[in-house]
Amino acid sequence: MPVSANALARDIETLLHPYTNLAAFREQGPLILDRAEGITVYDVAGKPYIDGMAGLWCTALGYGNAELIEAATQQMHNLSFAHIFGGKSHDPAIALAEKLKEISPAPASKVFFASSGSEANDTQIKLAWYYNNARGKTAKKTILSRKRAYHGTTLAAASLTGLPHNHAGFDLPLSFVRHLTCPHYYREALPGESEDAFTARLLAELEETIAREGADSIAAFIAEPVMGAGGVIVPPRGYFAGVQDLLARHDILFIVDEVICGFGRTGAMFGSQTFGLQPDSVTLAKALTSAYAPLAALTVPEEVYQAFLEQSRKLGIFGHGFTYSGHPIAAAVALKAIEIYEREKIVDHVGRVAPAFQARLRALAGHPLVGETRGVGLMGGLELVADKASRRQFPPEQGVAALAVRLCEAEGLIARAMGDTIALCPPLIITEAQIAELFDRLERALAKAEPAIARAQHG
């Protein structure tokens, strides 16, 4: 049945929606979802939508997975809650930490749990500071990030994030962060600059920043293998190899944010493996539980842990943690999700279907509205432009990608607008037939968007 005006009004008058134009929302109202199965979500009127964003880059195993539901249910019966403060523990947290140490792309001695990627990246900053204080390098506090990076929305994590709308009105970023040029060749390269020359310029910028700030003041560099919320930015050739060399030479920790890329999204278990990264620590969340329960994790290498031990001996306690660190229900769900990824060979499945996904994505490069298509594995972005030849962007107030995403919803497809980019990130269980249907719906939406945008441009 159609959603009632009462339900719409209740939402508008009660919820503060993240990442929403609050003024426009009062006129447009919410899309209220009711149920979901596989890769499909249904609104309260019963209309089905292909979830082309896997929720928020997270429902890797789709909706209604009976094994994940049973894992949570059984754990609720066994031990519904336990914390790990003050030396207490429980088997789900222990077993999950063991499993993450086994599969982590970073050398992991210990695992720390949080409830979200934002909390975990906030913790990464605190731990980098704690580590350097413990070894007497108390000036090493600056964190290097990139423009258009996304690392969360807490005060500290939002400071790492390099998106203007995460800072405007919030008195952010905080002063300990330096943002480097976004490694987006299509948008950031100089006229006539080759990809190799672009990479060299970005590496020179990093080296100059280290020299200017002083290596003895820089604690860490944080990066996503593929920048997700910044527009699905795939790194240019040679970029990360050069970054890692500079960091190693200057005693700067390399933190890799695998929150979006981890657990098969890029065609390997981790984005670090896809792009040949060798992180000191990784941040995990989202697909860690296929989003069936809130959980995040980060890894701690042995050298860092040993410094923590010495600092704890001096201070008497390691004074950091969250009530829900290693929550037993979330940990049980994560263990089952990883079991499914491995047993069902989800990474191999992504390898089989990703070529069809990327082929349909690349084919849209010829569309009059599309300036660039980019992606890897089962994630992709379409950047819309006002002029293909000059790469001229639309006026931001025109909201062309947001318009196209609304038209996608009309066609039964959920995508996401990020600036002028339309992002796609479907559940990893998607089939080739479902990929074809996803792009058929997207193409119908783009066909309707073109005249709508033209009318808006000409008044």
Side-chain angles (χ1 to χ4, degrees):
M1 58 183 293
V3 60
S4 69
N6 182 48
L8 298 175
R10 285 167 54 215
D11 180 285
I12 291 170
E13 297 306 325
T14 55
L15 289 177
L16 186 62
H17 285 265
Y19 276 80
T20 300
N21 182 316
L22 300 180
F25 173 72
R26 295 193 67 83
E27 302 299 322
Q28 297 168 357
L31 171 62
I32 302 179
L33 301 178
D34 180 59
R35 61 188 179 90
E37 183 178 3
I39 70 162
T40 305
V41 297
Y42 298 82
D43 66 20
V44 289
K47 178 179 176 178
Y49 304 79
I50 293 175
D51 187 355
M53 277 304 298
L56 277 175
W57 323 84
C58 53
T59 54
L61 296 173
Y63 297 89
N65 185 290
E67 291 187 77
L68 297 181
I69 295 167
E70 174 58 25
T73 303
Q74 187 59 53
Q75 186 58 48
M76 285 184 182
H77 286 298
N78 293 348
L79 182 67
S80 56
F81 173 73
H83 64 80
I84 57 174
F85 279 48
K88 295 181 177 63
S89 195
H90 53 82
D91 191 65
I94 297 167
L96 180 58
E98 288 174 333
K99 187 62 182 179
L100 292 177
K101 284 181 60 175
E102 175 191 327
I103 66 174
S104 170
S109 171
K110 302 294 179 287
V111 174
F112 178 87
F113 291 116
S115 296
S116 71
S118 294
E119 285 182 0
N121 280 329
D122 194 297
T123 295
Q124 290 279 23
I125 298 166
K126 287 185 71 176
L127 296 191
W129 290 352
Y130 192 83
Y131 168 61
N132 283 305
N133 287 339
R135 61 187 186 139
K137 298 191 175 185
T138 57
K140 288 177 79 71
K141 295 298 191 299
T142 298
I143 311 291
L144 303 179
S145 185
R146 285 97 54 82
K147 295 176 182 176
R148 293 174 68 182
Y150 184 85
H151 299 295
T153 58
T154 62
L155 278 172
S159 296
L160 298 179
T161 292
L163 296 169
H165 56 247
N166 284 88
H167 300 156
F170 292 111
D171 295 338
L172 295 174
L174 299 177
S175 61
F176 63 85
V177 180
R178 304 291 181 271
H179 288 100
L180 303 167
T181 298
C182 174
H184 184 195
Y185 177 62
Y186 174 80
R187 185 54 65 192
E188 299 293 338
L190 301 174
E193 188 174 39
S194 69
E195 184 174 347
D196 289 340
F198 175 64
T199 296
R201 178 162 61 85
L202 265 57
L203 295 177
E205 177 194 38
L206 173 57
E207 191 162 24
E208 290 161 6
T209 300
I210 294 170
R212 182 180 67 251
E213 298 286 333
D216 59 355
S217 74
I218 301 173
F221 177 101
I222 187 168
E224 305 154 272
V226 176
M227 300 172 80
V232 192
I233 309 301
V234 180
R237 184 172 53 244
Y239 172 76
F240 274 123
V243 165
Q244 292 179 132
D245 178 64
L246 285 168
L247 300 181
R249 283 197 275 127
H250 292 287
D251 185 30
I252 298 170
L253 292 171
F254 184 30
I255 301 168
V256 174
D257 183 338
E258 289 271 8
V259 170
I260 285 176
C261 295
F263 301 99
R265 177 58 58 185
T266 62
M269 183 59 91
F270 296 99
S272 293
Q273 295 160 341
T274 298
F275 295 99
L277 309 187
Q278 296 178 320
D280 293 300
S281 174
V282 291
T283 304
L284 308 169
K286 293 191 184 291
L288 174 58
T289 65
S290 190
Y292 279 52
L295 185 67
L298 62 90
T299 60
V300 178
E302 180 64 23
E303 179 183 355
V304 173
Y305 173 66
Q306 289 298 324
F308 288 3
L309 277 181
E310 290 304 311
Q311 190 75 330
S312 183
R313 288 189 179 104
K314 295 175 189 175
L315 302 179
I317 195 168
F318 174 67
H320 178 67
F322 306 104
T323 300
Y324 300 125
S325 291
H327 193 291
I329 296 170
V333 172
L335 280 165
K336 181 58 67 173
I338 296 170
E339 177 190 319
I340 295 169
Y341 294 138
E342 294 181 336
R343 186 187 70 230
E344 301 297 324
K345 296 181 169 54
I346 294 296
V347 171
D348 291 347
H349 172 75
V350 173
R352 287 191 296 272
V353 302
F357 180 91
Q358 293 296 329
R360 288 294 298 266
L361 180 72
R362 305 299 177 190
L364 288 169
H367 191 281
L369 286 175
V370 177
E372 184 189 35
T373 63
R374 51 187 182 261
V376 63
L378 284 178
M379 62 191 306
L382 301 168
E383 183 162 337
L384 307 184
V385 292
D387 181 77
K388 290 172 75 78
S390 67
R391 306 182 182 181
R392 178 169 55 87
Q393 295 175 289
F394 287 99
E397 63 273 13
Q398 198 167 341
V400 293
L403 169 62
V405 164
R406 289 196 296 274
L407 292 169
C408 285
E409 288 184 7
E411 295 295 330
L413 169 65
I414 292 178
R416 189 177 181 198
M418 299 178 302
D420 282 347
T421 296
I422 301 171
L424 295 168
C425 179
L428 301 184
I429 60 171
I430 195 169
T431 66
E432 284 198 37
Q434 291 168 331
I435 287 170
E437 180 61 27
L438 182 159
F439 279 99
D440 287 348
R441 296 182 189 191
L442 174 60
E443 288 176 5
R444 291 197 296 269
L446 288 174
K448 293 177 180 177
E450 190 176 358
I453 291 169
R455 288 194 299 271
Q457 283 182 302
H458 296 94

